[in-house]
Amino acid sequence: MSRIIVNTLDKKSTISRNIYGNFSEHLGRCIYNGIFVKEDSGIENVNGMRTDVVKALQNIKLPVLRWPGGCFADEYHWKDGIGPKENRKKMINTHWGGVVEDNSFGTHEFLEFCRQVGCEPYINGNVGSGTVQEMSEWMEYMTFDGVSPMAALRAENGHPEPWKVKYFGVGNENWGCGGNMRPSYYADEYRRYQTYVRNYGGNKVFRIACGPNGDDYNWTEEVMQIAGRYMDGISLHYYTVTHTWDKKGSATEFSEEEYYKTLKKAYYMEELVTKHTQIMDRYDPEHKVGLLVDEWGTWHDVEPGTNPGFLYQQNTMRDAMVAALTLNIFNEHSDRVVMANIAQMVNVLQAIILTEGDKMVLTPTYHVFDLYKNHHDATLLSTFTETKEIGTEEDKLQNITVSSSVDANGVIHVTAANLSATESCPVELTLLGKYGGKATGRMLAGDRSAYNDFDCPETVQIREMGEITEKDGAYCFTLPACSVAEITIA
Ligand code: AHR
């Protein structure tokens, strides 16, 4: 049995809806076929944007989408992706499979996609191989409302009205694919580039510096020290790799030991966020600078027979549990974590959506985003959870992960996952400071390696929980093995 005690009187930080963001890169079939198709492809679309994908993203209230990369961002020259499609430059996507990138999806298309979904764009600029002028002109092109060369070019290309672009990243992984820089060098480059990323009219830019790779605490230290006062946010990238980068392990075929190993590796996010926050606290005690975990998720071996450069992997209940525990960690750290972007939205890595031709599958990870959507912009509540140790000798972890919040209407939402692969867990949930209220629940449960595919798209689905009984002031329900639930108390 596990006891969850939610103290409704102890209100903490606001859980930014942007924690539930996604990431899209010109990589494999994320953009092309994943979200963007030829208008005459026979796949239902509006201006090339897949209607099925747009609707699925609207359902989870996708708040923000990062684009165009990733490593692709520091090789991307935005002017290649504007103007008449037949004139756009065809280039090699050197990072991802060496395929031809025809630039048919560029700035206008990305912003149109965000408009259809109703999410905020987060654009990542090029520091590694781009110029200061190029970055400056990109912001002018998108947001300047008046007489200027870039505003005129935008109008010539069919969009006289400026867009609003709040989130802008100054480089990606500049410690690696974004230029192999040292932190002090990058920090100076960051200061220079961001100077020319201007606020035009009412568009106030939230400038994001490239942050560390996992536990590279020295990177955070130096970049915060040198450039902390010039940024609104700093990013963090961490991927859950079960074994090694050379042999990561299959997405669908894994043992119980490997299941726990993956979850243990995912839990490392707690330590990373805590320690990077401690460093940031020294330079920014008032929490003016946000931490954006703008790439996270599982990275398994690609599906057999697929292009290794496309990073296409299936998505099981194990991935759903990684999402559940990670999102709970972000909620708990929402006083510093202001955005997170799972990698990647469609057909790449821990995708929430898979597509094949005109078919679409919602993965178990998608359903976790659905179960957690009521946390968007809600207030985190202090929560105590009684747990027990599970796992293997090598990879021990606690069985239950929880977070809870109260929304603007006073409704309480508790997301709880039982990470045990084999044992169900009866739960007693008590609210301190609030009496009465009916509890209802939705749940995702399945075998640890269950997944949805194009033949069986509904193997793993959210279902309503049966009656939640009340006993001595506590709500009682059972979390089956390998399950995640949202309990709502109105
Ligand atoms: O998401 C795949 C790649 O992982 C991104 O392009 C890069 O930023 C990271 O290394």
Side-chain angles (χ1 to χ4, degrees):
M1 212 266 288
S2 173
R3 245 185 296 262
I4 301 174
I5 300 170
V6 178
N7 186 350
T8 67
L9 303 175
D10 190 10
K11 296 192 170 65
K12 301 169 104 180
S13 41
T14 299
I15 299 172
S16 170
R17 69 174 77 178
N18 290 335
I19 283 176
Y20 295 86
N22 270 231
F23 169 40
S24 60
E25 178 165 11
H26 288 242
L27 193 178
R29 296 183 303 113
C30 181
I31 302 294
Y32 301 110
N33 301 319
I35 64 178
F36 188 61
V37 290
K38 295 216 166 15
E39 286 182 50
D40 61 1
S41 60
I43 299 171
E44 197 182 338
N45 71 86
V46 176
N47 303 328
M49 312 303 156
R50 289 183 70 125
T51 304
D52 52 358
V53 171
V54 168
K55 282 192 179 147
L57 297 173
Q58 286 171 341
N59 176 52
I60 56 167
K61 303 192 171 119
L62 181 76
V64 63
L65 182 61
R66 178 172 180 247
W67 173 85
C71 294
F72 184 81
D74 282 85
E75 295 207 51
Y76 184 60
H77 301 282
W78 68 270
K79 284 186 185 164
D80 295 344
I82 56 169
K85 294 223 167 124
E86 60 280 13
N87 298 342
R88 295 192 192 175
K89 205 184 260 179
K90 292 192 173 44
M91 58 191 249
I92 306 167
N93 190 334
T94 44
H95 257 291
W96 304 119
V99 292
V100 174
E101 164 62 59
D102 69 3
N103 278 301
S104 55
F105 189 93
T107 304
H108 289 246
E109 290 75 23
F110 174 64
L111 293 168
E112 165 63 7
F113 182 74
C114 291
R115 184 193 69 77
Q116 288 188 25
V117 172
C119 67
E120 292 264 3
Y122 166 10
I123 292 205
N124 212 115
N126 179 349
V127 170
S129 70
T131 64
V132 171
Q133 181 180 1
E134 194 179 350
M135 188 179 284
S136 173
E137 286 183 340
W138 200 1
M139 200 39 107
E140 179 188 327
Y141 184 87
M142 292 186 289
T143 62
F144 187 72
D145 188 10
V147 179
S148 88
M150 291 303 113
L153 186 57
R154 186 184 69 230
E156 205 178 290
N157 289 331
H159 208 284
E161 289 301 312
W163 288 281
K164 286 261 186 283
V165 176
K166 180 170 175 187
Y167 299 104
F168 194 90
V170 180
N172 169 74
E173 296 195 352
N174 302 95
W175 36 261
C177 64
N180 289 306
M181 301 174 192
R182 289 172 296 174
S184 56
Y185 180 80
Y186 169 74
D188 280 336
E189 286 292 86
Y190 172 81
R191 285 169 60 139
R192 187 164 75 104
Y193 275 72
Q194 68 79 36
T195 307
Y196 304 95
V197 177
R198 308 267 189 213
N199 294 327
Y200 291 116
N203 192 68
K204 170 100 180 62
V205 187
F206 184 101
R207 293 171 182 76
I208 300 151
C210 164
N213 177 18
D215 60 4
D216 184 354
Y217 299 113
N218 182 50
W219 181 279
T220 305
E221 183 84 43
E222 290 209 33
V223 173
M224 283 301 294
Q225 186 182 35
I226 298 167
R229 64 184 180 281
Y230 297 95
M231 65 180 74
D232 300 296
I234 184 166
S235 65
L236 162 66
H237 289 183
Y238 173 66
Y239 285 98
T240 297
V241 176
T242 305
H243 296 293
T244 62
W245 282 100
D246 290 340
K247 260 202 140 318
K248 301 176 205 65
S250 161
T252 51
E253 282 166 30
F254 51 88
S255 63
E256 194 174 312
E257 287 69 30
E258 286 174 301
Y259 168 83
Y260 287 120
K261 188 173 283 302
T262 308
L263 299 193
K264 183 73 193 225
K265 292 265 183 101
Y267 249 121
Y268 189 46
M269 185 67 87
E270 169 67 37
E271 181 175 328
L272 291 174
V273 169
T274 302
K275 289 190 173 169
H276 286 295
T277 294
Q278 281 164 359
I279 297 168
M280 292 174 74
D281 282 350
R282 289 211 303 278
Y283 298 97
D284 171 40
E286 291 168 358
H287 286 213
K288 288 188 186 145
V289 179
L291 183 62
L292 292 87
V293 190
D294 62 13
E295 285 186 33
W296 70 271
T298 52
W299 194 321
H300 305 302
D301 287 339
V302 297
E303 289 306 307
T306 63
N307 186 331
F310 280 14
L311 310 185
Y312 178 75
Q313 65 191 40
Q314 247 299 352
N315 192 295
T316 65
M317 276 303 291
R318 173 178 63 166
D319 299 280
M321 304 317 278
V322 168
L325 75 87
T326 305
L327 291 168
N328 280 344
I329 291 170
F330 294 154
N331 287 349
E332 292 300 314
H333 286 273
S334 50
D335 59 334
R336 185 61 93 172
V337 177
V338 297
M339 190 191 290
N341 308 74
I342 193 169
Q344 301 191 1
M345 191 167 68
V346 190
N347 293 333
V348 173
L349 299 178
Q350 193 177 347
I352 62 168
I353 294 173
L354 303 176
T355 66
E356 200 173 86
D358 63 352
K359 292 190 188 146
M360 180 187 78
V361 156
L362 304 176
T363 67
T365 300
Y366 172 91
H367 293 303
V368 174
F369 276 73
D370 193 345
L371 289 173
Y372 279 54
K373 66 187 174 192
N374 288 311
H375 285 314
H376 294 198
D377 295 336
T379 305
L380 181 72
L381 294 173
S382 165
T383 306
F384 167 80
T385 311
E386 197 177 63
T387 57
K388 73 168 192 186
E389 199 169 76
I390 54 164
T392 61
E393 203 45 51
E394 208 175 311
D395 298 298
K396 295 191 171 62
L397 60 158
Q398 301 304 309
N399 62 337
I400 307 290
T401 156
V402 182
S403 70
S404 35
S405 67
V406 57
D407 69 18
N409 299 316
V411 179
I412 292 167
H413 300 279
V414 180
T415 48
N418 176 7
L419 304 178
S420 170
T422 51
E423 275 181 54
S424 64
C425 181
V427 176
E428 281 185 17
L429 167 66
T430 310
L431 302 184
L432 298 183
K434 181 173 160 57
Y435 300 97
K438 186 172 162 42
T440 53
R442 300 190 300 148
M443 178 184 285
L444 191 71
D447 183 79
R448 61 173 193 263
S449 55
Y451 59 85
N452 296 331
D453 64 15
F454 298 100
D455 295 326
C456 299
E458 296 188 346
T459 306
V460 181
Q461 273 201 85
I462 294 178
R463 60 176 170 79
E464 297 298 318
M465 280 165 74
E467 198 198 351
I468 296 178
T469 54
E470 283 184 59
K471 192 180 126 219
D472 303 331
Y475 299 101
C476 307
F477 55 91
T478 295
L479 291 174
C482 199
S483 68
V484 48
E486 181 212 24
I487 312 294
T488 298
I489 303 146

